[in-house]
Amino acid sequence: MSANGFARAGEDGRLTLAVPSKGRMSGPSLDLLEAAGLSFEVNERSLHVPCSNAPVELLFVRPQDIPEYVQDGVVDAGITGANLIAESQARVETLLELGFGRCGLEAAVPADAPQQRLEDLDGLRIATTYPVSTRAALAERGVTAELVLLSGSVEAAPRLGLADAIVDLVSTGSTMTANGLRRLGRLLDSQAVLIGNPTRLEGRETELERLELMLRGVVDGRARRYLMMNAPTERVEELESILPAMGAPSVIELADPAQVALHAAVPADAIWDLLPRLKAAGATGILVLPVERVVP
């Protein structure tokens, strides 16, 4: 039993996975685990939840505690934000970027302030709730500043005279704009990640590899779309040159010898530009379907 009251990872032979108990990463984390094939039931009071179809147990804790839990072997693996790993300086291994919870640590000043670049923050007072990663990121740019540590919202700090600038976690930047702040630049990129401590697994490496494989399949699948289309036979080479497929697209003969069907998995973010080009090259009846998972 660990000092915090939780059983040490793997004491019952199950792989223990720490999951955010609250915040914007909590729901997407559970959705990802379900999509990966894990079966479990949770409620608002859940703390330990065993999966019914796999030797995996979910442990719901604060996301900021997860890096240290993984480092100390309290759990085998965890889902948390990359920025929280940087802030805690935990010695863990990032196994997989999960594609949600994207944000960044950014600096901002009042809209009428003279500063235009991150380097202009040198010598100023900066309010933040992330002092470790802020100091490290500024030092990389040769910036020395006085950090004012605040536990809550930092957007009001310049208006209250507590600081000249702020560094905070940003998704859209709308909160900064609403508080009369102008963004100077990004110090750190972040998203949800799967982390582990392979040196503490004690023979359960296979289970962790399987968990990573199943999650990676879903993450890679979400990043792709499956295209199905009909095309004139004489335009196949042109269409193949347009498709950014995973290998060569499938070409399927149809009852009409002048037509074929093309199937291909393509990056989801390419769809916007890709469909008009396929249409112009003669493709018809184009279907765009979600991909549940991709296992190479």
Side-chain angles (χ1 to χ4, degrees):
M1 185 74 69
S2 65
N4 55 27
F6 293 123
R8 281 283 177 183
E11 286 186 355
D12 62 353
R14 302 173 72 88
L15 189 77
T16 307
L17 175 67
V19 181
S21 59
K22 58 182 179 179
R24 59 195 184 91
M25 286 189 295
S26 179
S29 296
L30 296 179
D31 291 343
L32 175 62
L33 295 173
E34 287 183 332
L38 292 177
S39 180
F40 52 87
E41 295 184 7
V42 299
N43 58 53
E44 61 182 14
R45 295 186 177 182
S46 295
L47 179 59
H48 293 267
V49 176
C51 296
S52 61
N53 64 335
V56 177
E57 181 176 23
L58 308 183
L59 175 65
F60 293 87
V61 295
R62 298 190 311 165
Q64 57 266 43
D65 293 334
I66 292 175
E68 291 189 9
Y69 279 21
V70 174
Q71 171 187 269
D72 297 342
V74 177
V75 297
D76 300 310
I79 295 176
T80 189
N83 67 296
L84 297 176
I85 301 171
E87 188 64 25
S88 68
Q89 297 183 310
R91 296 181 298 277
V92 298
E93 181 179 347
T94 297
L95 304 175
L96 180 64
E97 294 181 339
L98 301 179
F100 62 86
R102 295 184 185 275
C103 57
L105 200 63
E106 294 197 13
V109 294
D112 58 355
Q115 290 78 23
Q116 298 296 324
R117 305 175 306 148
L118 290 172
E119 289 74 12
D120 296 334
L121 295 173
D122 194 59
L124 300 185
R125 295 172 303 154
I126 301 176
T128 185
T129 57
Y130 304 97
V132 175
S133 43
T134 296
R135 183 175 289 108
L138 290 176
E140 289 178 358
R141 294 163 173 79
V143 175
T144 302
E146 177 188 349
L147 298 188
V148 179
L149 180 59
L150 298 180
S151 59
S153 175
V154 300
E155 288 85 3
R159 186 170 63 249
L160 296 175
L162 299 176
D164 306 300
I166 72 165
V167 169
D168 202 11
L169 211 57
V170 173
S171 295
T172 65
S174 58
T175 302
M176 285 186 173
T177 302
N179 282 275
L181 299 173
R182 172 168 46 82
R183 295 154 70 181
L184 288 186
R186 180 160 292 197
L187 299 173
L188 175 72
D189 288 314
S190 181
Q191 64 174 295
V193 292
L194 174 70
I195 59 175
N197 186 346
T199 63
R200 304 296 292 266
L201 285 177
E202 299 177 356
R204 294 189 308 286
E205 295 87 353
T206 300
E207 287 83 354
L208 181 59
E209 290 172 359
R210 180 173 297 183
L211 175 65
E212 180 185 350
L213 173 68
M214 300 304 285
L215 294 181
R216 186 181 299 276
V218 176
V219 172
D220 290 348
R222 288 175 173 178
R224 294 195 173 269
R225 297 293 182 268
Y226 193 74
L227 292 185
M228 304 169 62
M229 70 201 78
N230 293 339
T233 303
E234 68 271 12
R235 306 294 292 274
V236 169
E237 288 189 9
E238 180 182 356
L239 288 164
E240 285 181 338
S241 69
I242 295 173
L243 287 167
M246 297 170 57
S250 300
V251 181
I252 304 169
E253 293 183 356
L254 300 177
D256 182 354
Q259 292 277 317
V260 296
L262 290 179
H263 292 192
V266 303
D269 59 8
I271 292 295
W272 176 264
D273 293 322
L274 189 58
L275 294 188
R277 295 177 62 198
L278 294 173
K279 189 74 175 176
T284 59
I286 302 173
L287 297 180
V288 182
L289 305 175
V291 177
E292 182 172 327
R293 71 184 67 195
V294 175
V295 180

